[in-house]
Amino acid sequence: MITLHHLNQSRSFRILWLLEEIKEPYQLKCYYRDSTTHLAPESLKNIHPLGKSPVIEWQGKVIAESGAIVELLIQKLAPHLAPDINDTAYTDYLQWIHFAESSAMVPFLLKMFNAIEMKHGTKLAFLEDYAQVEFDKVFGFLNDYLKNKKFLVGDRLTGADFMMGFGLHGLVHNMGQGEHYPHIQSYVEHLALLPSWKAAEKIEKDSLILILRDKK
């Protein structure tokens, strides 16, 4: 059985959502960010030296990196969530899978961290201007691409959506950017209606409620 080591408010949501979608039996072990530092707990380093999540244990292997986990689980357990390798859509699929952690994630994180620094009085010169230019370029491109689309590849849910959905949900709901990117917002709202997304959200919420109770 798959064991998912899941950190709240992290990329691990991608894997929780995917496991709920493919309905593969799994064991969930939850970890929670430090309320002050917002960092993952040291106990995650007992699973993987980097102490990051997601991490899965499966078939005698400890596997990190959400992109690798998504591709592996889909290849072995849910091939219907990817185009056939000989399909012309497969190229688009691969590009969006990797776009999520490369082109999209860098400006997303820069923008988020810059906002935190400026809130605490840090003066930013080059970095904020650079982050804004990249942010507008990347998410403007993605917003245009998503016009009249419910999914990234074709007319169906694929691994590309599992990779991109997490970050775009944060862009809309945590960063308040939905009004600037209406097509991204529509895409995120559609994903949030999927039963597997709702199930993953409920699991994460319920597990957090339990840990807070235990701390009282």
Side-chain angles (χ1 to χ4, degrees):
M1 180 183 290
I2 298 167
T3 297
L4 169 61
H5 296 273
H6 175 68
L7 177 66
N8 69 307
Q9 299 178 347
S10 79
R11 294 167 171 88
S12 183
F13 183 84
R14 294 165 170 161
I15 313 307
L16 182 59
W17 174 27
L18 177 58
L19 289 168
E20 286 297 310
E21 175 66 28
I22 64 180
K23 303 189 185 309
E24 180 70 18
Y26 67 95
Q27 180 182 17
L28 185 67
K29 293 190 177 181
C30 295
Y31 302 78
Y32 301 91
R33 295 184 180 277
D34 183 276
S35 58
T36 301
T37 66
H38 206 59
L39 297 176
E42 287 293 310
S43 56
L44 259 174
K45 291 183 179 178
N46 296 330
I47 311 303
H48 189 280
L50 290 178
K52 295 180 179 293
S53 178
V55 175
I56 66 169
E57 294 182 85
W58 189 33
Q59 299 178 337
K61 297 279 287 183
V62 174
I63 308 161
E65 298 298 332
S66 55
I69 296 170
V70 166
E71 288 200 62
L72 184 65
L73 292 179
I74 287 176
Q75 287 172 7
K76 294 199 171 187
L77 300 174
H80 62 284
L81 292 174
D84 184 86
I85 195 169
N86 295 312
D87 191 321
T88 55
Y90 190 77
T91 300
D92 297 328
Y93 171 77
L94 274 186
Q95 287 188 105
W96 288 119
I97 283 269
H98 294 282
F99 185 92
E101 282 296 310
S102 53
S103 296
M105 192 54 70
V106 172
F108 178 88
L109 290 177
L110 281 176
K111 187 74 174 167
M112 183 174 68
F113 293 153
N114 285 355
I116 294 171
E117 287 298 313
M118 288 189 290
K119 184 178 178 181
H120 287 83
T122 304
K123 301 287 186 182
L124 299 176
F126 166 79
L127 194 56
E128 175 58 14
D129 290 340
Y130 172 79
Q132 189 63 57
V133 168
E134 288 299 303
F135 192 90
D136 292 341
K137 178 171 63 178
V138 167
F139 294 108
F141 161 69
L142 186 53
N143 186 68
D144 291 342
Y145 176 83
L146 284 171
K147 184 178 181 179
N148 299 323
K149 290 180 182 290
K150 293 183 177 180
F151 301 106
L152 281 164
V153 181
D155 297 319
R156 63 189 179 93
L157 184 68
T158 70
D161 300 299
F162 288 92
M163 287 298 296
M164 286 297 305
F166 167 75
L168 296 184
H169 185 272
L171 181 143
V172 171
H173 292 284
N174 299 334
M175 301 179 74
Q177 294 287 326
E179 63 180 283
H180 302 300
Y181 303 106
H183 304 311
I184 290 177
Q185 180 165 321
S186 295
Y187 169 78
V188 166
E189 289 173 351
H190 174 71
L191 292 183
L193 293 175
L194 297 174
S196 54
W197 180 288
K198 290 182 178 180
E201 274 196 325
K202 185 176 187 305
I203 290 168
E204 185 166 82
K205 181 180 178 181
D206 289 349
S207 63
L208 185 56
I209 289 172
L210 286 174
I211 197 69
L212 291 175
R213 281 180 188 165
D214 291 342
K215 287 184 176 181
K216 288 182 178 181

